[in-house]
Amino acid sequence: MEREQNASQEQATYEQVSPAENVEQQEEIKEHEENEHQEKNMLEEQEKNREENERHDVQEDEIEEQEKVQEEQNEELAAANAKIAELEAKIKEMENRYLRLYADFENFRRRTRQEMEAAEKYRAQSLVSDLLPALDNFERALKIKAEDEQAKSILQGMEMVYRSVLDALKKEGVEAIEAVGKPFDPHLHQAVMQVEDSNYEPNTVVEELQKGYKLKDRVIRPAMVKVSQ
């Protein structure tokens, strides 16, 4: 019963609203809906902006993280390059030291070989030097004229010994230095006197006062000579 009364009242109220009021209500409803729509769009735009800002912040964080990683990698690369340069410098220094040591060793081997070759080549030098005075004595003795058979026999024996010694020395590479008639050579001859002699060219050995000897290519004793002016 009460529900029927309320419905009757609402119907009566609606019947009492004028057409102009009805249009105004509809406009208010439309405006309200537009405001709700704008508010909804604004909220959506704000949400979109918020999401965009979040994405932007995430991108900035990622870029910052990448830059940090890149910076660390650059630092590690620079440290590695510095270490490589240091190791290369040490290797270069060791190579130079090795080359110097190798050169020193090669020089030492060459000197040792030369010294050994010279020692082998001139091994008889000391003996030859000691025998030269004896050879000089033999030569002086052989120049003496023998007056009897006994003296001649003794001189013949001395000459045989002298020749034997010369042959033995020759086998070792000892030879007498040529002097008389040869141009004076300060490496081979020792001039003790200068004389005028028309039979020889100037600066020529005219007389040998003492024999000179050389062992292979080494002069043991220069010949003592007279030289023409």
Side-chain angles (χ1 to χ4, degrees):
M1 185 70 178
E2 184 177 356
R3 184 178 298 174
E4 292 178 353
Q5 290 179 355
N6 290 333
S8 298
Q9 291 178 357
E10 288 178 359
Q11 182 67 29
T13 301
Y14 179 74
E15 291 177 351
Q16 292 176 358
V17 175
S18 65
E21 291 177 348
N22 189 24
V23 171
E24 183 177 354
Q25 288 178 356
Q26 289 179 355
E27 289 179 353
E28 288 178 357
I29 292 171
K30 184 178 180 181
E31 182 179 359
H32 179 70
E33 290 177 351
E34 290 179 353
N35 290 335
E36 287 183 349
H37 182 70
Q38 291 177 356
E39 184 176 356
K40 181 180 179 182
N41 290 338
M42 184 179 297
L43 291 174
E44 290 178 352
E45 184 69 21
Q46 289 177 353
E47 181 66 18
K48 183 178 180 181
N49 291 336
R50 185 184 64 79
E51 292 177 353
E52 183 68 25
N53 289 334
E54 288 180 354
R55 285 196 298 271
H56 181 70
D57 292 340
V58 171
Q59 290 177 351
E60 286 184 348
D61 292 340
E62 290 178 351
I63 292 173
E64 184 177 354
E65 183 67 22
Q66 290 176 356
E67 290 177 350
K68 184 177 180 181
V69 171
Q70 185 66 36
E71 183 177 356
E72 292 177 353
Q73 291 177 348
N74 291 337
E75 291 177 355
E76 292 176 356
L77 181 60
N81 289 334
K83 189 65 176 179
I84 291 172
E86 180 183 356
L87 292 175
E88 288 178 345
K90 289 183 178 180
I91 292 173
K92 187 67 175 179
E93 181 182 357
M94 292 178 67
E95 287 179 349
N96 292 334
R97 290 181 59 188
Y98 168 76
L99 291 176
R100 289 194 296 270
L101 289 174
Y102 182 77
D104 291 341
F105 178 69
E106 285 298 312
N107 291 334
F108 170 75
R109 284 209 310 176
R110 184 175 63 255
R111 288 195 303 269
T112 302
R113 184 175 62 252
Q114 291 173 348
E115 290 172 357
M116 291 178 64
E117 291 174 352
E120 177 64 21
K121 184 176 182 180
Y122 306 113
R123 66 182 185 276
Q125 180 173 345
S126 179
L127 176 61
V128 172
S129 298
D130 293 339
L131 286 176
L132 290 183
L135 292 178
D136 295 337
N137 291 332
F138 270 114
E139 290 172 359
R140 283 191 289 267
L142 292 174
K143 290 179 181 179
I144 299 174
K145 291 183 180 181
E147 297 180 354
D148 52 44
E149 293 299 325
Q150 185 178 2
K152 289 181 180 180
S153 178
I154 293 173
L155 289 176
Q156 287 177 354
M158 291 180 62
E159 186 174 3
M160 290 177 62
V161 174
Y162 174 68
R163 297 299 177 189
S164 298
V165 174
L166 288 180
D167 290 341
L169 293 176
K170 187 175 182 180
K171 291 179 180 179
E172 290 295 327
V174 178
E175 57 181 297
I177 295 174
E178 296 182 359
V180 178
K182 298 294 182 180
F184 174 75
D185 186 345
H187 298 98
L188 303 175
H189 308 133
Q190 179 182 358
V192 295
M193 189 180 302
Q194 282 188 322
V195 296
E196 293 183 1
D197 194 326
S198 59
N199 296 322
Y200 294 94
E201 294 289 334
N203 204 37
T204 302
V205 176
V206 299
E207 184 181 349
E208 183 179 62
L209 303 178
Q210 185 183 58
K211 277 186 175 296
Y213 294 91
K214 60 181 181 179
L215 176 60
K216 298 178 181 178
D217 57 355
R218 176 180 291 181
V219 176
I220 303 300
R221 185 180 72 182
M224 190 177 299
V225 297
K226 291 181 182 180
V227 182
S228 62
Q229 292 183 346

